[in-house]
Amino acid sequence: MSLLVVGLNHRSAPVSVLERAALAADTQAKLLQDTLAAEPATEAAVLATCNRIELYADVDKFHAGVAELSTLLAQHSGVGLDELTPYLYVHYEDRAVHHLFSVACGLDSMVVGEGQILGQIKDALARGQELHTAGRLLNDLFQQALRVGKRAHSETGIDRAGQSLVSFGLQQLAAGADPGLWARGKRALVIGAGSMSSLAAATLARTGVAEIVVANRTRSRAERLVEILQQGDDTTVRAHAVEMSAVGDELTRADVVVSCTGATGLVLTADALAGALGVTLDAPAETGTLTVTPDPADVDQHAAWVENGSTAAAPTAPPRRVTLPAQSTGPVRLALLDLAMPRDIDGAAHRIDGVRLVDIESLADASADAPMAADVDQVRTIVADEVAAFGAAQRAAHVAPTVVALRTMAAGVVAGEIARLDGRLPDLDEKQRAEITQTVRRVVDKLLHAPTVRVKQLASEPGGAGYADALRELFDLDPQTVAAVSRADLNDPNRGRS
C-alpha cells in the first residue's frame, strides 16, 4: 500500500485561497483522469467540499507522487504552484488513512462532529468508481472510512460536539438568540438544490420558518426539493419553487437567504441586495459609499406637495450619498448565509445597513472558539483502532494473491503426479485412485497450512509486506500468475459491497 493524499483545508489555508482553488464537477473529473495518466499514480479520488480540496492516490514513488499531485492540483485549481504549496499538507500510508478516517468522523470539520461529510465522502467514492479511477485500495479505503464515520456517530456522543454547517450558520445568524425563536414566521429563500441546499431547506423547515422559496437553474430539481419538504412529517412549512430569474423579486420579500450553488461567479451582488432593500449603489461596494434614493425627508416633501394639489412637476432632489458602515449596525432586514465555495454572495454585502452576512470565512472564525466535547477523545481512539485494523487487513490482502498462487501451483503438482501414477498403474480402480489422490492432497495441504497461515499473520504486522516477496522467491512462483490472481480479485463484482 502506497497511499498518498495532498490537499488543503480551512486549517491550512485562508478562505480566500480555498475559494480560488475550488474545483467544479467537470474540473474534478479532468483532475482524476490526469492524475491516473501521471506516471506515479495507479488510482485516484478527489474529496472536494466547501472547506477542503484533497487528492488521494495510490502511488509507487513518494517524492515523485507528491510533486505530481501538487502540480496537478495547482494546474486544475488555477492557483499557481508557488502560491499554493505553502498551504498544502501531505499524508502518506497509515497517516493518510488516519487523516481520512478523522475527516469521516467529523474531527477535521469546520464544525467538529458534523455528519454531512459522510455524504461528501460517499460522493467522492462514487465519482471515482464512475470514472474508473478508484481501484481496490481506494474502494476499500473510502468504504471503510464511511463505516468508521458511522461507527463514531453511533457509538459516541460526537454529534453533541457539533452540528451541521447549516445549523451552525443559522446559529450565527441568530446572533445569540434561540435559532427556533429567531426563525419563527420568517420567509426564507434557498438558492440551489444540491445536497447542501437541500440540507439547508430541511433545517430551515425544522427550525420553524413559515415559508421557503427554492430557486435553482434546473426548475425540476427545485420542484423535487419542494416536494420533499412538503412530505416531511416534522414540518408544515409552505414551500414552492421559482426560476433563477425570479431571485431578484424574491429578495424583496425574503427575511433569510441561504445560497449554495456550483456557480463560479457571484450569484448575489451587492447592487442586487441593496436594490432589494430599497437602496442602489452608484459605486463599487469597496469604495464604502452608496446612494440612497429617495431621501426620507424628500418623501415627506413629496407627500405635502401632492396634498396641496399642485399640477407642476414634482420636485426632484439630488441623490443623497452616505458612507457605508464597516458592517450592518441597525435592525437586520435581510439575513444571508453563504455556504458556497467559491462564494455566491458578494462579501461587501455585510456593509449594507440592514444586512447580516455569514459566510464560510466567518464560520471558520466562529468555529475556532467552539468547545470540544469529551466524546472527541473516544472518537480519536476509534480512529486509531480502525487505522491499525485497516493497515493489517491491507497488508494481509497484499500477501493473499501469493498464497493463492502457491496453492494453485501445489494443486498443479498434485494433478501432474496423479496423472503420472495413472500411467504407471493403469489397473487402479476408481476407488483406489480416489483414495491415493485424496492422500496426496492431504499431505500437500498439511505441509502448506502452517507456512501460509503464518505468512498471513506476519504480513499483517507493520513491515510485513516483504513476506509475500519472500514466499514468491522461496517457491519460485511465476509473477504473472500472482498478478493474474490480483486482477481477478480486483474485478470481482461482489468485492467491497456493503
Side-chain angles (χ1 to χ4, degrees):
M1 178 182 65
S2 301
L3 177 65
L4 174 67
V5 56
V6 178
L8 66 161
N9 64 14
H10 65 284
R11 299 181 190 276
S12 71
V15 171
S16 58
V17 174
L18 281 173
E19 185 176 39
R20 291 170 53 208
L23 303 174
D26 56 343
T27 305
Q28 293 178 39
K30 186 65 167 61
L31 172 59
L32 287 174
Q33 293 164 348
D34 289 351
T35 302
L36 215 61
E39 183 178 345
T42 58
E43 300 181 32
V46 172
L47 178 58
T49 73
C50 60
N51 54 28
R52 75 178 63 252
I53 304 162
E54 297 176 343
L55 179 56
Y56 290 78
D58 185 5
V59 299
D60 55 8
K61 299 174 184 176
F62 172 72
H63 293 291
V66 171
E68 188 66 34
L69 266 59
S70 301
T71 300
L72 287 168
L73 276 174
Q75 289 175 348
H76 289 79
S77 69
V79 180
L81 182 60
D82 290 343
E83 182 181 359
L84 190 64
T85 297
Y87 304 113
L88 294 177
Y89 47 77
V90 175
H91 299 297
Y92 190 56
E93 295 189 329
D94 283 354
R95 290 300 307 169
V97 176
H98 188 280
H99 174 74
L100 181 59
F101 287 4
S102 297
V103 169
C105 293
L107 293 180
D108 198 53
S109 295
M110 186 178 294
V111 180
V112 175
E114 61 94 8
Q116 188 185 2
I117 186 64
L118 289 174
Q120 294 163 333
I121 290 175
K122 185 176 181 180
D123 291 343
L125 174 59
R127 186 182 304 108
Q129 291 172 333
E130 180 183 354
L131 297 173
H132 304 291
T133 63
R136 180 172 59 190
L137 174 59
L138 293 184
N139 269 287
D140 288 350
L141 174 69
F142 275 68
Q143 289 180 14
Q144 187 61 26
L146 291 171
R147 286 189 282 268
V148 173
K150 292 174 183 176
R151 180 187 168 193
H153 284 279
S154 65
E155 295 183 13
T156 76
I158 189 65
D159 290 334
R160 294 194 299 267
Q163 53 206 312
S164 75
L165 201 60
V166 175
S167 298
F168 189 62
L170 293 178
Q171 189 180 81
Q172 299 307 305
L173 284 180
D178 178 85
L181 295 176
W182 173 81
R184 186 171 301 167
K186 283 183 167 56
R187 192 173 194 273
L189 170 63
V190 175
I191 304 176
S195 58
M196 182 73 85
S197 297
S198 298
L199 177 61
T203 304
L204 284 165
R206 289 194 303 270
T207 304
V209 296
E211 184 177 357
I212 296 176
V213 178
V214 180
N216 192 58
R217 295 189 185 282
T218 305
R219 175 69 178 263
S220 60
R221 294 191 65 186
E223 291 173 342
R224 176 57 183 156
L225 177 53
V226 166
E227 183 180 342
I228 293 172
L229 290 173
Q230 293 177 331
Q231 291 173 348
D233 296 331
D234 56 348
T235 177
T236 57
V237 67
R238 300 191 306 276
H240 68 275
V242 298
E243 303 284 350
M244 283 293 289
S245 58
V247 165
D249 291 335
E250 294 299 331
L251 281 174
T252 64
R253 295 185 285 271
D255 302 302
V256 185
V257 177
V258 180
S259 187
C260 187
T261 73
T264 55
L266 293 176
V267 174
L268 296 179
T269 65
D271 291 281
L273 292 165
L277 293 176
V279 300
T280 58
L281 297 176
D282 68 347
E286 288 73 17
T287 64
T289 61
L290 60 77
T291 301
V292 179
T293 307
D295 187 290
D298 297 331
V299 174
D300 295 338
Q301 180 184 1
H302 181 81
W305 172 83
V306 171
E307 289 178 356
N308 290 333
S310 174
T311 58
T316 301
R320 181 172 60 92
R321 295 175 62 84
V322 298
T323 301
L324 286 169
Q327 59 184 1
S328 177
T329 56
V332 176
R333 296 170 55 192
L334 187 59
L336 307 172
L337 178 57
D338 185 358
L339 298 174
M341 183 62 69
R343 72 188 70 191
D344 280 347
I345 303 176
D346 191 340
H350 77 286
R351 300 188 315 198
I352 301 174
D353 199 26
V355 170
R356 175 178 293 150
L357 171 63
V358 171
D359 56 16
I360 293 296
E361 189 165 15
S362 56
L363 285 176
D365 293 339
S367 65
D369 298 326
M372 300 286 282
D375 297 279
V376 168
D377 288 338
Q378 187 178 350
V379 173
R380 286 176 175 153
T381 300
I382 289 175
V383 168
D385 292 344
E386 291 284 358
V387 169
F390 183 83
Q394 289 296 308
R395 289 187 289 269
H398 179 72
V399 78
T402 304
V403 171
V404 172
L406 173 60
R407 289 192 174 276
T408 301
M409 183 195 75
V413 171
V414 170
E417 290 302 315
I418 294 300
R420 192 160 68 92
L421 184 64
D422 285 343
R424 290 185 176 184
L425 301 173
D427 297 330
L428 288 174
D429 59 32
E430 286 299 318
K431 183 177 181 180
Q432 291 171 327
R433 186 179 183 280
E435 185 62 35
I436 293 172
T437 300
Q438 186 62 27
T439 298
V440 175
R441 285 175 176 169
R442 279 199 300 266
V443 170
V444 172
D445 286 343
K446 288 181 178 180
L447 287 174
L448 290 181
H449 177 73
T452 53
V453 169
R454 185 61 179 147
V455 77
K456 288 181 180 180
Q457 293 172 340
L458 292 171
S460 67
E461 298 173 357
Y467 287 102
D469 298 331
L471 203 62
R472 286 194 294 270
E473 288 293 329
L474 288 171
F475 288 92
D476 194 24
L477 298 176
D478 181 8
Q480 295 300 320
T481 302
V482 177
V485 174
S486 297
R487 287 194 297 271
D489 180 54
L490 180 58
N491 294 327
D492 180 358
N494 295 315
R495 173 182 173 81
R497 291 192 176 180
S498 56

